[in-house]
Amino acid sequence: MRRCAGYGEVFQVGLGKSGTTTVEKFFADRFDYNVTCGNELAVLIQDEADARRPLLAAARARCPHFYISELSRVYFPKDSIVLQLTHLNALRVEAPAGLFVHCARNTTKWLSSVARWSNLQARLANRDLVGLPRGIGRTERELAEWYDGVNAHVAFTFAHRPNYVRVNVDEPASLRALELFCGRRDGDQPYRWVPQNVNRRVPPVGR
């Protein structure tokens, strides 16, 4: 399973609570990316964008061969960063040798996880995000429309491009497809998928 080790860097472009930590662990266990320092790079990339500098030069200097699990920062009190909505095409253009992994769950399961994860739903509703202006997102319908829209936007951006793979952590067939994409061959030991960062108030689903 070395194909996925050959990219310059990896960007996980789905939203949080979409299985991002589970997929991050797969890349950490199987490949040689800088996962730990990769978690710090979304803010750095946003700072470079605000300064109108190349988006990835500073990130590569600080963390060569990185894996970024979260391009969005809405968990923290002062951050409203959602790079997959504001700078996705620029990142694609600046990383021709990068891999883009798109975690996307069933919308109902994502909504359930968001509603029970601390005050994440309130934070989303109180931020001014692309497609989700301040005050929108307090209802399941509004959040569902936004989640579906984000996933459609990401998928459209990478349509027909070979350095993009979408994965649903709730579907074993999708997880196997990611392993095959990454170069698993007949006879290779299958990866043991263990859900990570699970909301203890939500029963485990699908895997």
Short mmCIF file of all heavy atoms in Angstrom, two decimals, residues 44-60 87 90-91 94:
data_model
loop_
_atom_site.label_atom_id
_atom_site.label_comp_id
_atom_site.label_asym_id
_atom_site.label_seq_id
_atom_site.Cartn_x
_atom_site.Cartn_y
_atom_site.Cartn_z
N LEU A 44 -1.93 28.66 9.39
CA LEU A 44 -0.79 29.20 8.66
C LEU A 44 -1.15 29.49 7.21
O LEU A 44 -0.81 30.55 6.66
CB LEU A 44 0.39 28.22 8.73
CG LEU A 44 1.64 28.61 7.96
CD1 LEU A 44 2.21 29.93 8.48
CD2 LEU A 44 2.69 27.50 8.06
N ILE A 45 -1.86 28.57 6.57
CA ILE A 45 -2.27 28.78 5.18
C ILE A 45 -3.22 29.97 5.07
O ILE A 45 -3.11 30.79 4.15
CB ILE A 45 -2.91 27.50 4.62
CG1 ILE A 45 -1.86 26.39 4.51
CG2 ILE A 45 -3.55 27.76 3.26
CD1 ILE A 45 -2.43 25.04 4.16
N GLN A 46 -4.13 30.11 6.02
CA GLN A 46 -5.03 31.26 6.01
C GLN A 46 -4.24 32.56 6.18
O GLN A 46 -4.53 33.56 5.51
CB GLN A 46 -6.07 31.14 7.11
CG GLN A 46 -7.10 32.26 7.14
CD GLN A 46 -7.97 32.28 5.91
OE1 GLN A 46 -8.72 31.33 5.66
NE2 GLN A 46 -7.89 33.34 5.11
N ASP A 47 -3.26 32.56 7.06
CA ASP A 47 -2.42 33.75 7.24
C ASP A 47 -1.68 34.11 5.95
O ASP A 47 -1.57 35.29 5.60
CB ASP A 47 -1.41 33.51 8.36
CG ASP A 47 -2.04 33.48 9.74
OD1 ASP A 47 -3.19 33.94 9.88
OD2 ASP A 47 -1.38 32.98 10.68
N GLU A 48 -1.18 33.11 5.25
CA GLU A 48 -0.49 33.36 3.98
C GLU A 48 -1.46 33.92 2.94
O GLU A 48 -1.12 34.83 2.16
CB GLU A 48 0.16 32.08 3.46
CG GLU A 48 1.26 31.54 4.35
CD GLU A 48 2.41 32.53 4.51
OE1 GLU A 48 3.25 32.60 3.61
OE2 GLU A 48 2.44 33.23 5.54
N ALA A 49 -2.68 33.40 2.93
CA ALA A 49 -3.68 33.92 2.00
C ALA A 49 -4.02 35.37 2.31
O ALA A 49 -4.13 36.21 1.41
CB ALA A 49 -4.94 33.05 2.07
N ASP A 50 -4.18 35.69 3.60
CA ASP A 50 -4.49 37.06 3.99
C ASP A 50 -3.37 38.01 3.61
O ASP A 50 -3.62 39.18 3.28
CB ASP A 50 -4.74 37.13 5.50
CG ASP A 50 -6.00 36.39 5.92
OD1 ASP A 50 -6.86 36.14 5.05
OD2 ASP A 50 -6.12 36.07 7.12
N ALA A 51 -2.12 37.53 3.64
CA ALA A 51 -0.97 38.36 3.29
C ALA A 51 -0.68 38.34 1.79
O ALA A 51 0.29 38.96 1.36
CB ALA A 51 0.26 37.88 4.06
N ARG A 52 -1.51 37.62 1.04
CA ARG A 52 -1.35 37.50 -0.42
C ARG A 52 0.02 36.92 -0.80
O ARG A 52 0.65 37.34 -1.77
CB ARG A 52 -1.58 38.86 -1.10
CG ARG A 52 -2.96 39.44 -0.83
CD ARG A 52 -3.23 40.70 -1.65
NE ARG A 52 -4.53 41.24 -1.33
CZ ARG A 52 -5.69 40.84 -1.85
NH1 ARG A 52 -5.69 39.85 -2.73
NH2 ARG A 52 -6.83 41.41 -1.50
N ARG A 53 0.44 35.95 -0.02
CA ARG A 53 1.64 35.20 -0.34
C ARG A 53 1.24 33.81 -0.86
O ARG A 53 0.09 33.39 -0.68
CB ARG A 53 2.53 35.06 0.90
CG ARG A 53 3.13 36.37 1.36
CD ARG A 53 4.18 36.14 2.45
NE ARG A 53 3.58 35.73 3.70
CZ ARG A 53 3.34 36.54 4.73
NH1 ARG A 53 3.60 37.84 4.64
NH2 ARG A 53 2.82 36.07 5.86
N PRO A 54 2.14 33.08 -1.51
CA PRO A 54 1.82 31.71 -1.94
C PRO A 54 1.29 30.89 -0.78
O PRO A 54 1.85 30.91 0.32
CB PRO A 54 3.17 31.18 -2.47
CG PRO A 54 3.91 32.40 -2.89
CD PRO A 54 3.50 33.48 -1.91
N LEU A 55 0.24 30.14 -1.02
CA LEU A 55 -0.47 29.49 0.08
C LEU A 55 0.36 28.43 0.79
O LEU A 55 0.22 28.25 2.01
CB LEU A 55 -1.76 28.84 -0.45
CG LEU A 55 -2.84 29.75 -1.01
CD1 LEU A 55 -4.05 28.92 -1.40
CD2 LEU A 55 -3.23 30.82 0.01
N LEU A 56 1.22 27.72 0.08
CA LEU A 56 1.80 26.51 0.63
C LEU A 56 3.29 26.58 0.94
O LEU A 56 3.84 25.66 1.55
CB LEU A 56 1.55 25.33 -0.32
CG LEU A 56 0.07 24.99 -0.55
CD1 LEU A 56 -0.06 23.87 -1.56
CD2 LEU A 56 -0.62 24.64 0.75
N ALA A 57 3.97 27.65 0.55
CA ALA A 57 5.42 27.71 0.76
C ALA A 57 5.77 27.62 2.24
O ALA A 57 6.67 26.85 2.64
CB ALA A 57 5.98 28.99 0.15
N ALA A 58 5.11 28.38 3.08
CA ALA A 58 5.41 28.37 4.51
C ALA A 58 5.04 27.03 5.14
O ALA A 58 5.74 26.51 6.01
CB ALA A 58 4.68 29.50 5.21
N ALA A 59 3.92 26.45 4.70
CA ALA A 59 3.50 25.16 5.23
C ALA A 59 4.52 24.08 4.90
O ALA A 59 4.87 23.24 5.74
CB ALA A 59 2.13 24.79 4.68
N ARG A 60 5.02 24.08 3.67
CA ARG A 60 6.02 23.07 3.28
C ARG A 60 7.33 23.27 4.03
O ARG A 60 7.99 22.29 4.37
CB ARG A 60 6.24 23.14 1.77
CG ARG A 60 5.06 22.61 0.96
CD ARG A 60 5.19 22.96 -0.50
NE ARG A 60 4.11 22.37 -1.29
CZ ARG A 60 3.64 22.91 -2.40
NH1 ARG A 60 4.15 24.06 -2.86
NH2 ARG A 60 2.66 22.31 -3.08
N HIS A 87 -10.57 28.71 -0.59
CA HIS A 87 -9.30 28.64 -1.32
C HIS A 87 -9.06 27.26 -1.94
O HIS A 87 -7.92 26.90 -2.23
CB HIS A 87 -8.13 28.97 -0.38
CG HIS A 87 -8.14 30.39 0.10
ND1 HIS A 87 -8.90 30.80 1.17
CD2 HIS A 87 -7.51 31.49 -0.37
CE1 HIS A 87 -8.72 32.10 1.36
NE2 HIS A 87 -7.89 32.54 0.45
N ALA A 90 -7.40 27.25 -5.47
CA ALA A 90 -6.02 27.72 -5.37
C ALA A 90 -5.12 26.62 -4.78
O ALA A 90 -3.99 26.42 -5.25
CB ALA A 90 -5.94 28.98 -4.51
N LEU A 91 -5.61 25.91 -3.78
CA LEU A 91 -4.84 24.81 -3.23
C LEU A 91 -4.62 23.72 -4.26
O LEU A 91 -3.53 23.15 -4.37
CB LEU A 91 -5.54 24.24 -2.00
CG LEU A 91 -5.54 25.11 -0.74
CD1 LEU A 91 -6.49 24.55 0.30
CD2 LEU A 91 -4.14 25.23 -0.17
N GLU A 94 -1.94 24.90 -6.67
CA GLU A 94 -0.61 24.99 -6.07
C GLU A 94 -0.05 23.64 -5.62
O GLU A 94 1.12 23.56 -5.25
CB GLU A 94 -0.62 25.96 -4.88
CG GLU A 94 -0.78 27.42 -5.28
CD GLU A 94 -0.36 28.37 -4.18
OE1 GLU A 94 0.48 27.99 -3.33
OE2 GLU A 94 -0.87 29.50 -4.17
#
